[in-house]
Amino acid sequence: MKKILMGVAIITVMIACDTKKVEGPIVVTPEEFHTSVDKVIEIMIHDIFSPPVASRIFAYPNIAAYEIIALHNEDYLSLEGQVTDLAAIPKPEADLPINYQVAALVAHMELSKRLIFSENRMEAFRDSLYGVWKTKNTSVFDASKTYGLKVAEHVGTWMNKDNYAQTRTMPKFTVNSDDPTRWQPTPPAYMDGIEPHWNKIRPFVIDSAQQFKPTPPPVFSMEEGSDFYRELKEVYDVGQKITEIGDESEEIKIAKFWDCNPYVSVTRGHLMFATKKITPGAHWIGITKISCRKTDSDFDKTIFAYTKTSLAIADAFISCWDEKYRSNLIRPETLINQHIDDNWKPVLQTPPFPEYTSGHSVVSGAASTALTNIFGDDFAFDDDTETAYGLPIRSFTSFNQAADEAAISRMYGGIHYRVAIEVGLEQGRNLGDFVVNHLRMTTKKEMASIQN
């Protein structure tokens, strides 16, 4: 009987020790946040979100995560009062055992789930993390999860007032086929113009969609020697030259690397289907991940970098789309087929919206400015963002060099006039400067360490 009681006692002690061993701290790594962002991108590709809508999907979850970090880490400053209409997030109840990094990732996943269609894919990823965290420390996990969901609800309420829902019910864009200067749907799918009301979305940092209104494009003219005709002829001539060389052409490699068109349609006989690609904003989010990894950024700085960059990207799309549907300029492909060569095709498939200004140029200008502000100028990196889509790594000496290449890629692709590229890049950089100069997200001490 004594042996039995002693055995029971030993087992009880072992179980108690075992339980004690399990209940430790929950450590959240930057890689887990990167994986959450990657999962969102994977789902967005599956769900085929337009580039402007994708930028919104990045911004809100990052803001929710960042505000939790800023509440806990004195090196970071809240966006309350800096981002349009954002009120302070609720503070947690006193004495709760909250892990703020767990709460930040919970908020990020919850808001991301609300913004995509394939919620079950996000839930599967979320539940896998929840399972790990819960086994490490149930009480900390429960408190952190509850708080993260509370912040997600707060940010979600603010998010739902940005006019996005209203734009879903607004009329489609009307094509004026009688006006030779106006945009017309392009082959092969001849899709309607996407997001014609995006300028009605509430901006994040800029004052209004019109704040960085660019100079108008050259006056439309098909007379040889006119500024506009020279712009058109250059697109045709560049396209002819690089397609003669073929896929070995550096220009074609650049065009394909920066394509980022989620609406590419492939025709096989009577069958038409879409190929899966990321958006231009997602490409720059990928560069943000590369930069964080290269600098061994901790969890909090990683969220800071994603948030600042995604805010610049989101406002860049609002600014660019405002101009696109104001100038409503016809694409080079349409005019070249009508007036120069009816068999000509661009290297890239023309995306379904007006030409001026170039979205890649505006977004790349804004994103590169934000990233330069975070990681410094002359920040060399290897961009492997497109390897998942069968494209090789490209190397850059700075974010600005990458932005320049992304912009000119649209000329090589045959889908933009040079003026849309150059003016668009300036538009994006001016907007990016405004964002970084008007947001105070870090203390002076922390900003100095970031720049160094």
Side-chain angles (χ1 to χ4, degrees), residues 95-113:
D95 302 325
L96 283 177
I98 291 174
N99 180 316
Y100 287 85
Q101 294 178 338
V102 169
L105 190 42
V106 167
H108 183 271
M109 292 186 292
E110 175 61 24
L111 272 182
S112 296
K113 183 171 73 73

Side-chain angles (χ1 to χ4, degrees), residues 24-28 68-69 72 96-106 133 139-141 143-145 147-148 299:
I26 302 175
V27 178
V28 188
I68 293 173
I69 292 305
H72 179 64
L96 283 177
I98 291 174
N99 180 316
Y100 287 85
Q101 294 178 338
V102 169
L105 190 42
V106 167
W133 292 339
S139 58
V140 169
F141 166 70
S144 306
K145 176 187 171 187
Y147 182 60
F299 186 87

